[in-house]
Amino acid sequence: MSVLAFISRNVYPLAIVSRILMFAYGEWQDAYFQVKYTDADYAVFSDAGYFVSQGYSPYKRLTYRYTPLLAYLMLPNQWLHPSFGKFLFVICDLLVGKLIHLILLGRNLSNKKSDASGEKGYRTDTKTLINYCVSVWLLNPLVINVSTRGNAEAFVVLLVLLSLYYVLKNQIFVGALWYGLCVHVKIYPIIFALTFCLFIGKFHQKRWSLSSLINSLLCRDVLVFGIVSGVFYILLGAIFYYIYGFEYLYESTLYHFVRSDHRHNFSPYFYSLYLQIVQPSKLFSLAVFIPQLILTLVLSFKFSRYISFCVFLQTFVFVVFNKVCTVQYFIWYLCFLPLMIPDLKCTKTDVLLLTVPWTLSLVAWLYTAYLLEFQGENTFVLIWISGLLFFAANCYVIVRLISFFNPID
């Protein structure tokens, strides 16, 4: 049995075992090393949960800028185990893999026939393809690292995929509820709103015109999706505004529009924000959203028919052009990558030509960041230059993936 065949047949056991091992390793590193394995944000989540358990606002914890729901999820950290939240995020991570599997099963990848062994379901080659695709998420070292370190992104992308799953199944009401919840938890999925509406309204089946666009956006299912998701989002916001006041609204939502993060990260805007550390410009912080807005709108109209591919591109573009870009943000678009693999027509050489420049530029950035953080060298300009190289590599990947896209259904 080849290695790939072994992985395909055992993707879920391997996914569980790898996470258990990394979880255990993380506990060991935290106990014996000065550099901790656990993500710094996990302490923020956990502390916010502690304040809630004591009857205080989660925003009493400085730098907690998330929905109170996340702090509520951390309450068992206080009476069960401090690592309960990590376990929860790992479960979410595994459920994302299962959702990817279910979405791919709903694709017309093969006829539903018994295979040669008489086993019911999809043919062996289709099962293998689906398992390979799922393994891109479940056996991805970056994904495993992010969830076992206690980062909440797996929880966020689980909500996003739940909304996509139910929209694809034409269960619009349920999908709208999940969508309203995921936008409440993290604001970035709002960029999918037009794509979802165009897909639900079947705009791709009509001749392009203003009247057909209006008809698509005003059809019954789109109105149900918009009203239900919007009302649910507003309802959740109103409840927490009533409990925590304007502090909730600012910290969980408004802050992210005007934030000016000067710490080094992958964003091409990093150095500009760093130079504004004394007198940050809110106008600049808002202006950087313009390229993201234009590109996400263009992608919505161009690819909404292929909704999985469309939301992948939108998220990828959003992350690459964002004013703050860190490793955990990669999770936002990696969850969609397995869904589009069957539609990519490319060779191993093509894949190599994509991964090499992306990896080299990433390594260059990490090296300059290492010199700053651990050697104390002033490498801010080098970090910015390597960040620009990484930005260019990501743009190249986006363009090439679009050229490789060849939908099979």
Side-chain angles (χ1 to χ4, degrees):
M1 181 187 299
S2 68
V3 175
L4 290 178
F6 176 79
I7 292 175
S8 175
R9 293 186 180 185
N10 299 279
V11 58
Y12 287 102
L14 288 172
I16 294 172
V17 170
S18 61
R19 282 158 177 78
I20 291 174
L21 291 175
M22 290 305 297
F23 188 94
Y25 170 78
E27 296 293 296
W28 176 76
Q29 180 175 325
D30 286 350
Y32 294 100
F33 286 80
Q34 184 176 1
V35 178
K36 304 301 181 184
Y37 179 81
T38 300
D39 194 300
D41 285 341
Y42 184 73
V44 177
F45 304 152
S46 189
D47 291 348
Y50 168 77
F51 284 121
V52 169
S53 70
Q54 300 301 307
Y56 298 109
S57 165
Y59 303 105
K60 192 174 178 66
R61 200 325 179 166
L62 295 178
T63 73
Y64 183 79
R65 298 187 172 97
Y66 312 91
T67 170
L69 285 176
L70 194 54
Y72 297 168
L73 291 175
M74 296 297 107
L75 286 174
N77 281 20
Q78 313 307 319
W79 61 75
L80 287 180
H81 193 278
S83 293
F84 171 84
K86 293 185 192 177
F87 175 76
L88 178 64
F89 296 147
V90 169
I91 295 298
C92 291
D93 176 12
L94 293 171
L95 289 175
V96 167
K98 185 60 180 178
L99 266 177
I100 291 170
H101 194 118
L102 292 175
I103 292 173
L104 288 171
L105 283 176
R107 295 282 306 277
N108 185 28
L109 301 179
S110 178
N111 295 322
K112 287 189 176 182
K113 297 287 184 181
S114 298
D115 61 23
S117 64
E119 182 180 345
K120 293 182 178 180
Y122 280 79
R123 292 186 179 130
T124 303
D125 60 339
T126 304
K127 289 181 179 178
T128 302
L129 172 61
I130 290 176
N131 285 338
Y132 284 158
C133 294
V134 172
S135 69
V136 170
W137 172 266
L138 286 179
L139 301 183
N140 190 312
L142 176 61
V143 174
I144 296 171
N145 175 262
V146 168
S147 63
T148 54
R149 291 182 65 211
N151 192 282
E153 302 308 329
F155 173 61
V156 177
V157 299
L158 175 63
L159 299 179
V160 174
L161 282 179
L162 280 167
S163 61
L164 176 63
Y165 173 71
Y166 283 103
V167 166
L168 287 170
K169 288 178 67 68
N170 203 33
Q171 297 184 27
I172 306 301
F173 185 86
V174 180
L177 290 175
W178 285 116
Y179 184 67
L181 177 59
C182 75
V183 175
H184 167 80
V185 172
K186 203 87 166 183
I187 194 66
Y188 85 88
I190 194 69
I191 65 176
F192 308 142
L194 180 60
T195 299
F196 277 136
C197 290
L198 292 176
F199 178 82
I200 293 170
K202 297 179 172 57
F203 178 67
H204 55 274
Q205 296 180 2
K206 302 170 184 177
R207 188 173 181 178
W208 211 106
S209 67
L210 181 60
S211 60
S212 62
L213 173 62
I214 294 174
N215 290 335
S216 295
L217 295 179
L218 293 180
C219 74
R220 178 183 176 277
D221 285 346
V222 171
L223 291 176
V224 168
F225 182 82
I227 292 172
V228 171
S229 60
V231 168
F232 192 46
Y233 172 79
I234 293 171
L235 178 63
L236 289 171
I239 291 172
F240 289 124
Y241 187 88
Y242 175 78
I243 299 173
Y244 300 113
F246 182 76
E247 185 179 36
Y248 150 73
L249 181 62
Y250 178 80
E251 296 290 355
S252 67
T253 305
L254 299 180
Y255 167 81
H256 298 283
F257 289 98
V258 298
R259 68 181 293 190
S260 181
D261 197 334
H262 62 274
R263 292 172 296 180
H264 58 286
N265 60 83
F266 297 109
S267 174
Y269 304 113
F270 144 69
Y271 197 59
S272 296
L273 292 172
Y274 171 72
L275 294 177
Q276 298 175 30
I277 184 172
V278 177
Q279 191 174 5
S281 169
K282 292 186 177 180
L283 179 61
F284 178 83
S285 295
L286 292 173
V288 297
F289 286 112
I290 296 175
Q292 292 173 307
L293 176 62
I294 294 173
L295 290 171
T296 52
L297 287 175
V298 170
L299 291 170
S300 291
F301 285 107
K302 179 66 176 178
F303 294 108
S304 61
R305 174 181 181 180
Y306 312 104
I307 187 170
S308 297
F309 184 62
C310 188
V311 293
F312 166 80
L313 288 177
Q314 288 180 301
T315 313
F316 202 164
V317 164
F318 183 84
V319 170
V320 170
F321 282 81
N322 203 30
K323 61 184 175 182
V324 179
C325 179
T326 59
V327 170
Q328 59 261 35
Y329 291 6
F330 299 172
I331 302 299
W332 296 355
Y333 61 80
L334 283 177
C335 68
F336 299 120
L337 181 59
L339 302 178
M340 50 174 277
I341 288 177
D343 297 315
L344 296 180
K345 187 177 181 180
C346 56
T347 64
K348 292 180 180 179
T349 301
D350 291 327
V351 175
L352 188 64
L353 291 175
L354 285 183
T355 55
V356 168
W358 189 90
T359 304
L360 290 177
S361 60
L362 176 62
V363 170
W365 187 94
L366 292 173
Y367 177 68
T368 55
Y370 165 80
L371 293 177
L372 173 67
E373 293 184 27
F374 295 97
Q375 302 299 318
E377 298 183 21
N378 185 352
T379 58
F380 284 100
V381 174
L382 291 177
I383 290 175
W384 176 57
I385 293 173
S386 57
L388 292 178
L389 291 174
F390 188 61
F391 172 78
N394 277 293
C395 291
Y396 170 72
V397 170
I398 292 170
V399 172
R400 294 299 290 155
L401 287 177
I402 293 174
S403 69
F404 295 151
F405 185 62
N406 184 32
I408 63 176
D409 59 353

